[in-house]
mmCIF file of all heavy atoms in Angstrom:
data_model
loop_
_atom_site.group_PDB
_atom_site.id
_atom_site.type_symbol
_atom_site.label_atom_id
_atom_site.label_comp_id
_atom_site.label_asym_id
_atom_site.label_seq_id
_atom_site.Cartn_x
_atom_site.Cartn_y
_atom_site.Cartn_z
ATOM 1 N N ASP A 1 0.828 -1.193 0.000
ATOM 2 C CA ASP A 1 0.000 0.000 0.000
ATOM 3 C C ASP A 1 0.873 1.258 0.000
ATOM 4 O O ASP A 1 2.106 1.186 -0.061
ATOM 5 C CB ASP A 1 -0.996 -0.019 1.164
ATOM 6 C CG ASP A 1 -0.327 0.059 2.533
ATOM 7 O OD1 ASP A 1 0.554 0.911 2.718
ATOM 8 O OD2 ASP A 1 -0.705 -0.717 3.435
ATOM 9 N N THR A 2 0.255 2.418 0.119
ATOM 10 C CA THR A 2 0.958 3.679 -0.095
ATOM 11 C C THR A 2 1.828 4.108 1.079
ATOM 12 O O THR A 2 2.504 5.148 0.983
ATOM 13 C CB THR A 2 -0.039 4.806 -0.397
ATOM 14 O OG1 THR A 2 -0.971 4.914 0.698
ATOM 15 C CG2 THR A 2 -0.786 4.528 -1.692
ATOM 16 N N ILE A 3 1.853 3.344 2.178
ATOM 17 C CA ILE A 3 2.777 3.737 3.251
ATOM 18 C C ILE A 3 4.224 3.684 2.761
ATOM 19 O O ILE A 3 5.083 4.390 3.295
ATOM 20 C CB ILE A 3 2.621 2.865 4.511
ATOM 21 C CG1 ILE A 3 3.012 1.408 4.245
ATOM 22 C CG2 ILE A 3 1.231 2.972 5.094
ATOM 23 C CD1 ILE A 3 3.197 0.597 5.500
ATOM 24 N N LEU A 4 4.500 2.875 1.750
ATOM 25 C CA LEU A 4 5.862 2.762 1.244
ATOM 26 C C LEU A 4 6.311 4.074 0.611
ATOM 27 O O LEU A 4 7.401 4.594 0.917
ATOM 28 C CB LEU A 4 5.949 1.624 0.230
ATOM 29 C CG LEU A 4 5.533 0.244 0.758
ATOM 30 C CD1 LEU A 4 5.356 -0.733 -0.398
ATOM 31 C CD2 LEU A 4 6.550 -0.281 1.746
ATOM 32 N N GLU A 5 5.495 4.627 -0.262
ATOM 33 C CA GLU A 5 5.844 5.896 -0.895
ATOM 34 C C GLU A 5 5.838 7.032 0.136
ATOM 35 O O GLU A 5 6.708 7.909 0.114
ATOM 36 C CB GLU A 5 4.863 6.203 -2.030
ATOM 37 C CG GLU A 5 4.942 5.230 -3.199
ATOM 38 C CD GLU A 5 4.340 3.864 -2.902
ATOM 39 O OE1 GLU A 5 3.347 3.804 -2.132
ATOM 40 O OE2 GLU A 5 4.854 2.853 -3.431
ATOM 41 N N SER A 6 4.851 7.000 1.046
ATOM 42 C CA SER A 6 4.774 8.042 2.066
ATOM 43 C C SER A 6 6.013 8.039 2.949
ATOM 44 O O SER A 6 6.634 9.094 3.188
ATOM 45 C CB SER A 6 3.522 7.843 2.931
ATOM 46 O OG SER A 6 2.348 7.919 2.170
ATOM 47 N N GLU A 7 6.386 6.883 3.455
ATOM 48 C CA GLU A 7 7.525 6.812 4.363
ATOM 49 C C GLU A 7 8.831 7.147 3.650
ATOM 50 O O GLU A 7 9.756 7.693 4.261
ATOM 51 C CB GLU A 7 7.592 5.435 5.020
ATOM 52 C CG GLU A 7 6.454 5.187 5.997
ATOM 53 C CD GLU A 7 6.577 3.873 6.734
ATOM 54 O OE1 GLU A 7 7.629 3.200 6.628
ATOM 55 O OE2 GLU A 7 5.615 3.500 7.435
ATOM 56 N N PHE A 8 8.914 6.843 2.376
ATOM 57 C CA PHE A 8 10.103 7.220 1.610
ATOM 58 C C PHE A 8 10.230 8.746 1.554
ATOM 59 O O PHE A 8 11.308 9.308 1.769
ATOM 60 C CB PHE A 8 10.015 6.624 0.209
ATOM 61 C CG PHE A 8 11.245 6.841 -0.638
ATOM 62 C CD1 PHE A 8 12.477 6.354 -0.242
ATOM 63 C CD2 PHE A 8 11.163 7.529 -1.835
ATOM 64 C CE1 PHE A 8 13.610 6.547 -1.023
ATOM 65 C CE2 PHE A 8 12.286 7.727 -2.633
ATOM 66 C CZ PHE A 8 13.519 7.239 -2.218
ATOM 67 N N ILE A 9 9.128 9.422 1.287
ATOM 68 C CA ILE A 9 9.144 10.889 1.267
ATOM 69 C C ILE A 9 9.462 11.435 2.658
ATOM 70 O O ILE A 9 10.258 12.382 2.806
ATOM 71 C CB ILE A 9 7.794 11.430 0.761
ATOM 72 C CG1 ILE A 9 7.603 11.075 -0.725
ATOM 73 C CG2 ILE A 9 7.696 12.939 0.966
ATOM 74 C CD1 ILE A 9 6.237 11.434 -1.274
ATOM 75 N N LEU A 10 8.855 10.857 3.694
ATOM 76 C CA LEU A 10 9.110 11.332 5.057
ATOM 77 C C LEU A 10 10.571 11.131 5.437
ATOM 78 O O LEU A 10 11.171 11.985 6.110
ATOM 79 C CB LEU A 10 8.192 10.598 6.035
ATOM 80 C CG LEU A 10 6.686 10.813 5.847
ATOM 81 C CD1 LEU A 10 5.893 9.972 6.833
ATOM 82 C CD2 LEU A 10 6.314 12.279 5.987
ATOM 83 N N LEU A 11 11.163 10.009 5.013
ATOM 84 C CA LEU A 11 12.581 9.790 5.289
ATOM 85 C C LEU A 11 13.432 10.857 4.606
ATOM 86 O O LEU A 11 14.347 11.429 5.224
ATOM 87 C CB LEU A 11 13.008 8.404 4.808
ATOM 88 C CG LEU A 11 14.528 8.160 4.844
ATOM 89 C CD1 LEU A 11 15.045 8.106 6.276
ATOM 90 C CD2 LEU A 11 14.905 6.895 4.078
ATOM 91 N N LEU A 12 13.158 11.121 3.329
ATOM 92 C CA LEU A 12 13.949 12.125 2.613
ATOM 93 C C LEU A 12 13.837 13.484 3.297
ATOM 94 O O LEU A 12 14.826 14.220 3.417
ATOM 95 C CB LEU A 12 13.487 12.209 1.159
ATOM 96 C CG LEU A 12 13.802 10.978 0.289
ATOM 97 C CD1 LEU A 12 13.151 11.113 -1.081
ATOM 98 C CD2 LEU A 12 15.308 10.772 0.146
ATOM 99 N N ALA A 13 12.634 13.811 3.791
ATOM 100 C CA ALA A 13 12.477 15.079 4.500
ATOM 101 C C ALA A 13 13.295 15.080 5.782
ATOM 102 O O ALA A 13 13.940 16.089 6.118
ATOM 103 C CB ALA A 13 11.002 15.321 4.810
ATOM 104 N N PHE A 14 13.296 13.978 6.507
ATOM 105 C CA PHE A 14 14.088 13.898 7.736
ATOM 106 C C PHE A 14 15.573 14.073 7.439
ATOM 107 O O PHE A 14 16.307 14.706 8.212
ATOM 108 C CB PHE A 14 13.845 12.559 8.430
ATOM 109 C CG PHE A 14 14.765 12.315 9.591
ATOM 110 C CD1 PHE A 14 14.567 12.951 10.804
ATOM 111 C CD2 PHE A 14 15.852 11.459 9.468
ATOM 112 C CE1 PHE A 14 15.430 12.752 11.872
ATOM 113 C CE2 PHE A 14 16.724 11.241 10.530
ATOM 114 C CZ PHE A 14 16.511 11.893 11.741
ATOM 115 N N LEU A 15 16.014 13.532 6.319
ATOM 116 C CA LEU A 15 17.425 13.638 5.941
ATOM 117 C C LEU A 15 17.771 14.999 5.349
ATOM 118 O O LEU A 15 18.910 15.222 4.926
ATOM 119 C CB LEU A 15 17.780 12.532 4.938
ATOM 120 C CG LEU A 15 17.668 11.090 5.450
ATOM 121 C CD1 LEU A 15 17.952 10.101 4.312
ATOM 122 C CD2 LEU A 15 18.607 10.834 6.624
ATOM 123 N N GLY A 16 16.789 15.895 5.312
ATOM 124 C CA GLY A 16 17.040 17.218 4.753
ATOM 125 C C GLY A 16 17.007 17.257 3.245
ATOM 126 O O GLY A 16 17.575 18.161 2.622
ATOM 127 N N ARG A 17 16.294 16.293 2.645
ATOM 128 C CA ARG A 17 16.275 16.177 1.185
ATOM 129 C C ARG A 17 14.851 16.259 0.647
ATOM 130 O O ARG A 17 14.462 15.528 -0.252
ATOM 131 C CB ARG A 17 16.941 14.866 0.762
ATOM 132 C CG ARG A 17 18.420 14.814 1.141
ATOM 133 C CD ARG A 17 18.998 13.413 1.101
ATOM 134 N NE ARG A 17 18.869 12.777 -0.202
ATOM 135 C CZ ARG A 17 19.321 11.544 -0.472
ATOM 136 N NH1 ARG A 17 19.954 10.848 0.476
ATOM 137 N NH2 ARG A 17 19.170 11.031 -1.672
ATOM 138 N N ALA A 18 14.061 17.173 1.201
ATOM 139 C CA ALA A 18 12.678 17.311 0.744
ATOM 140 C C ALA A 18 12.600 17.748 -0.713
ATOM 141 O O ALA A 18 11.550 17.595 -1.361
ATOM 142 C CB ALA A 18 11.925 18.300 1.630
ATOM 143 N N ASP A 19 13.690 18.301 -1.224
ATOM 144 C CA ASP A 19 13.719 18.725 -2.625
ATOM 145 C C ASP A 19 14.262 17.645 -3.550
ATOM 146 O O ASP A 19 14.537 17.900 -4.726
ATOM 147 C CB ASP A 19 14.560 19.986 -2.770
ATOM 148 C CG ASP A 19 16.004 19.800 -2.280
ATOM 149 O OD1 ASP A 19 16.304 18.752 -1.671
ATOM 150 O OD2 ASP A 19 16.826 20.711 -2.505
ATOM 151 N N ASP A 20 14.430 16.428 -3.053
ATOM 152 C CA ASP A 20 14.917 15.325 -3.871
ATOM 153 C C ASP A 20 13.992 15.145 -5.080
ATOM 154 O O ASP A 20 12.760 15.204 -4.951
ATOM 155 C CB ASP A 20 14.950 14.038 -3.025
ATOM 156 C CG ASP A 20 15.632 12.875 -3.725
ATOM 157 O OD1 ASP A 20 15.055 12.330 -4.691
ATOM 158 O OD2 ASP A 20 16.740 12.482 -3.292
ATOM 159 N N PRO A 21 14.538 14.926 -6.276
ATOM 160 C CA PRO A 21 13.690 14.808 -7.476
ATOM 161 C C PRO A 21 12.731 13.624 -7.449
ATOM 162 O O PRO A 21 11.806 13.561 -8.262
ATOM 163 C CB PRO A 21 14.706 14.676 -8.616
ATOM 164 C CG PRO A 21 15.984 14.258 -7.973
ATOM 165 C CD PRO A 21 15.979 14.865 -6.613
ATOM 166 N N ARG A 22 12.916 12.698 -6.519
ATOM 167 C CA ARG A 22 12.009 11.547 -6.438
ATOM 168 C C ARG A 22 10.764 11.847 -5.610
ATOM 169 O O ARG A 22 9.817 11.048 -5.610
ATOM 170 C CB ARG A 22 12.744 10.349 -5.858
ATOM 171 C CG ARG A 22 13.842 9.802 -6.761
ATOM 172 C CD ARG A 22 14.726 8.810 -6.064
ATOM 173 N NE ARG A 22 15.488 9.453 -4.985
ATOM 174 C CZ ARG A 22 16.416 8.834 -4.270
ATOM 175 N NH1 ARG A 22 16.687 7.565 -4.501
ATOM 176 N NH2 ARG A 22 17.059 9.477 -3.312
ATOM 177 N N VAL A 23 10.749 12.963 -4.898
ATOM 178 C CA VAL A 23 9.618 13.267 -4.027
ATOM 179 C C VAL A 23 8.343 13.497 -4.831
ATOM 180 O O VAL A 23 7.288 12.922 -4.526
ATOM 181 C CB VAL A 23 9.934 14.489 -3.136
ATOM 182 C CG1 VAL A 23 8.662 15.005 -2.462
ATOM 183 C CG2 VAL A 23 10.972 14.121 -2.076
ATOM 184 N N ARG A 24 8.407 14.313 -5.863
ATOM 185 C CA ARG A 24 7.184 14.615 -6.623
ATOM 186 C C ARG A 24 6.619 13.385 -7.343
ATOM 187 O O ARG A 24 5.403 13.155 -7.296
ATOM 188 C CB ARG A 24 7.450 15.764 -7.597
ATOM 189 C CG ARG A 24 6.216 16.210 -8.394
ATOM 190 C CD ARG A 24 4.991 16.463 -7.524
ATOM 191 N NE ARG A 24 5.071 17.623 -6.703
ATOM 192 C CZ ARG A 24 4.401 18.753 -6.921
ATOM 193 N NH1 ARG A 24 3.593 18.864 -7.965
ATOM 194 N NH2 ARG A 24 4.507 19.762 -6.082
ATOM 195 N N PRO A 25 7.432 12.541 -8.006
ATOM 196 C CA PRO A 25 6.852 11.330 -8.607
ATOM 197 C C PRO A 25 6.202 10.404 -7.577
ATOM 198 O O PRO A 25 5.149 9.811 -7.845
ATOM 199 C CB PRO A 25 8.056 10.658 -9.280
ATOM 200 C CG PRO A 25 9.004 11.770 -9.553
ATOM 201 C CD PRO A 25 8.842 12.721 -8.419
ATOM 202 N N ALA A 26 6.808 10.277 -6.397
ATOM 203 C CA ALA A 26 6.189 9.451 -5.355
ATOM 204 C C ALA A 26 4.881 10.080 -4.890
ATOM 205 O O ALA A 26 3.897 9.372 -4.610
ATOM 206 C CB ALA A 26 7.153 9.276 -4.182
ATOM 207 N N ALA A 27 4.852 11.412 -4.808
ATOM 208 C CA ALA A 27 3.614 12.098 -4.433
ATOM 209 C C ALA A 27 2.537 11.920 -5.498
ATOM 210 O O ALA A 27 1.347 11.780 -5.179
ATOM 211 C CB ALA A 27 3.902 13.585 -4.202
ATOM 212 N N ASN A 28 2.940 11.926 -6.761
ATOM 213 C CA ASN A 28 1.962 11.668 -7.831
ATOM 214 C C ASN A 28 1.321 10.302 -7.672
ATOM 215 O O ASN A 28 0.118 10.127 -7.912
ATOM 216 C CB ASN A 28 2.649 11.762 -9.198
ATOM 217 C CG ASN A 28 3.090 13.170 -9.542
ATOM 218 O OD1 ASN A 28 2.596 14.143 -8.980
ATOM 219 N ND2 ASN A 28 4.029 13.290 -10.468
ATOM 220 N N TYR A 29 2.133 9.322 -7.288
ATOM 221 C CA TYR A 29 1.593 7.974 -7.056
ATOM 222 C C TYR A 29 0.582 8.002 -5.913
ATOM 223 O O TYR A 29 -0.484 7.382 -5.997
ATOM 224 C CB TYR A 29 2.732 7.011 -6.746
ATOM 225 C CG TYR A 29 2.292 5.567 -6.607
ATOM 226 C CD1 TYR A 29 2.106 4.766 -7.729
ATOM 227 C CD2 TYR A 29 2.054 5.017 -5.349
ATOM 228 C CE1 TYR A 29 1.697 3.449 -7.610
ATOM 229 C CE2 TYR A 29 1.648 3.694 -5.217
ATOM 230 C CZ TYR A 29 1.470 2.922 -6.345
ATOM 231 O OH TYR A 29 1.051 1.610 -6.207
ATOM 232 N N LEU A 30 0.908 8.736 -4.850
ATOM 233 C CA LEU A 30 -0.017 8.847 -3.720
ATOM 234 C C LEU A 30 -1.336 9.470 -4.158
ATOM 235 O O LEU A 30 -2.416 8.982 -3.783
ATOM 236 C CB LEU A 30 0.610 9.698 -2.618
ATOM 237 C CG LEU A 30 1.778 9.093 -1.850
ATOM 238 C CD1 LEU A 30 2.375 10.119 -0.896
ATOM 239 C CD2 LEU A 30 1.321 7.869 -1.072
ATOM 240 N N ARG A 31 -1.266 10.529 -4.926
ATOM 241 C CA ARG A 31 -2.492 11.186 -5.379
ATOM 242 C C ARG A 31 -3.371 10.228 -6.182
ATOM 243 O O ARG A 31 -4.597 10.261 -6.070
ATOM 244 C CB ARG A 31 -2.153 12.415 -6.221
ATOM 245 C CG ARG A 31 -1.613 13.588 -5.433
ATOM 246 C CD ARG A 31 -1.720 14.868 -6.242
ATOM 247 N NE ARG A 31 -3.108 15.183 -6.580
ATOM 248 C CZ ARG A 31 -3.470 16.185 -7.382
ATOM 249 N NH1 ARG A 31 -2.544 16.950 -7.946
ATOM 250 N NH2 ARG A 31 -4.736 16.422 -7.638
ATOM 251 N N GLY A 32 -2.742 9.392 -6.965
ATOM 252 C CA GLY A 32 -3.500 8.457 -7.783
ATOM 253 C C GLY A 32 -4.202 7.371 -6.989
ATOM 254 O O GLY A 32 -5.044 6.666 -7.548
ATOM 255 N N HIS A 33 -3.865 7.228 -5.712
ATOM 256 C CA HIS A 33 -4.468 6.177 -4.897
ATOM 257 C C HIS A 33 -5.361 6.721 -3.791
ATOM 258 O O HIS A 33 -5.800 5.971 -2.911
ATOM 259 C CB HIS A 33 -3.374 5.291 -4.292
ATOM 260 C CG HIS A 33 -2.758 4.362 -5.295
ATOM 261 N ND1 HIS A 33 -1.879 4.796 -6.262
ATOM 262 C CD2 HIS A 33 -2.905 3.030 -5.499
ATOM 263 C CE1 HIS A 33 -1.517 3.771 -7.016
ATOM 264 N NE2 HIS A 33 -2.116 2.696 -6.581
ATOM 265 N N GLN A 34 -5.668 8.015 -3.850
ATOM 266 C CA GLN A 34 -6.574 8.583 -2.860
ATOM 267 C C GLN A 34 -7.998 8.088 -3.115
ATOM 268 O O GLN A 34 -8.447 7.993 -4.264
ATOM 269 C CB GLN A 34 -6.539 10.111 -2.913
ATOM 270 C CG GLN A 34 -7.345 10.786 -1.817
ATOM 271 C CD GLN A 34 -7.270 12.304 -1.891
ATOM 272 O OE1 GLN A 34 -6.930 12.868 -2.942
ATOM 273 N NE2 GLN A 34 -7.584 12.975 -0.794
ATOM 274 N N LEU A 35 -8.708 7.772 -2.055
ATOM 275 C CA LEU A 35 -10.092 7.332 -2.169
ATOM 276 C C LEU A 35 -11.008 8.526 -2.449
ATOM 277 O O LEU A 35 -10.691 9.658 -2.066
ATOM 278 C CB LEU A 35 -10.540 6.654 -0.875
ATOM 279 C CG LEU A 35 -9.789 5.387 -0.453
ATOM 280 C CD1 LEU A 35 -10.242 4.942 0.931
ATOM 281 C CD2 LEU A 35 -10.002 4.279 -1.471
ATOM 282 N N PRO A 36 -12.140 8.312 -3.074
ATOM 283 C CA PRO A 36 -13.085 9.419 -3.290
ATOM 284 C C PRO A 36 -13.489 10.108 -1.989
ATOM 285 O O PRO A 36 -13.765 11.311 -1.975
ATOM 286 C CB PRO A 36 -14.281 8.731 -3.962
ATOM 287 C CG PRO A 36 -13.694 7.516 -4.619
ATOM 288 C CD PRO A 36 -12.593 7.063 -3.705
ATOM 289 N N SER A 37 -13.504 9.342 -0.898
ATOM 290 C CA SER A 37 -13.879 9.909 0.402
ATOM 291 C C SER A 37 -12.793 10.799 0.983
ATOM 292 O O SER A 37 -13.035 11.512 1.963
ATOM 293 C CB SER A 37 -14.186 8.788 1.388
ATOM 294 O OG SER A 37 -13.029 7.980 1.608
ATOM 295 N N GLY A 38 -11.571 10.739 0.421
ATOM 296 C CA GLY A 38 -10.503 11.609 0.866
ATOM 297 C C GLY A 38 -9.322 10.919 1.500
ATOM 298 O O GLY A 38 -8.220 11.464 1.526
ATOM 299 N N GLY A 39 -9.520 9.734 2.062
ATOM 300 C CA GLY A 39 -8.434 9.037 2.733
ATOM 301 C C GLY A 39 -7.725 8.051 1.823
ATOM 302 O O GLY A 39 -7.900 8.044 0.596
ATOM 303 N N TRP A 40 -6.919 7.203 2.450
ATOM 304 C CA TRP A 40 -6.184 6.157 1.735
ATOM 305 C C TRP A 40 -6.395 4.832 2.449
ATOM 306 O O TRP A 40 -6.463 4.778 3.685
ATOM 307 C CB TRP A 40 -4.681 6.479 1.692
ATOM 308 C CG TRP A 40 -4.297 7.518 0.694
ATOM 309 C CD1 TRP A 40 -3.789 7.312 -0.555
ATOM 310 C CD2 TRP A 40 -4.374 8.947 0.847
ATOM 311 N NE1 TRP A 40 -3.545 8.508 -1.188
ATOM 312 C CE2 TRP A 40 -3.886 9.533 -0.355
ATOM 313 C CE3 TRP A 40 -4.801 9.792 1.883
ATOM 314 C CZ2 TRP A 40 -3.828 10.902 -0.545
ATOM 315 C CZ3 TRP A 40 -4.750 11.167 1.696
ATOM 316 C CH2 TRP A 40 -4.266 11.708 0.499
ATOM 317 N N ALA A 41 -6.499 3.755 1.667
ATOM 318 C CA ALA A 41 -6.744 2.422 2.225
ATOM 319 C C ALA A 41 -5.458 1.620 2.242
ATOM 320 O O ALA A 41 -4.483 1.962 1.562
ATOM 321 C CB ALA A 41 -7.803 1.692 1.401
ATOM 322 N N ASN A 42 -5.463 0.515 2.997
ATOM 323 C CA ASN A 42 -4.289 -0.363 2.979
ATOM 324 C C ASN A 42 -4.477 -1.568 2.062
ATOM 325 O O ASN A 42 -3.641 -2.465 2.050
ATOM 326 C CB ASN A 42 -3.881 -0.793 4.396
ATOM 327 C CG ASN A 42 -4.977 -1.520 5.144
ATOM 328 O OD1 ASN A 42 -6.055 -1.770 4.604
ATOM 329 N ND2 ASN A 42 -4.712 -1.856 6.390
#
């Protein structure tokens, strides 16, 4: 599920790399898996 992409982004932010070029593609993947109700499922 999407915790993998989320935690990868959170790790990069912790490491001071929130501007890493992989952040936006991982975020795009997250957006594509949002439920109509607004949340995310496992």
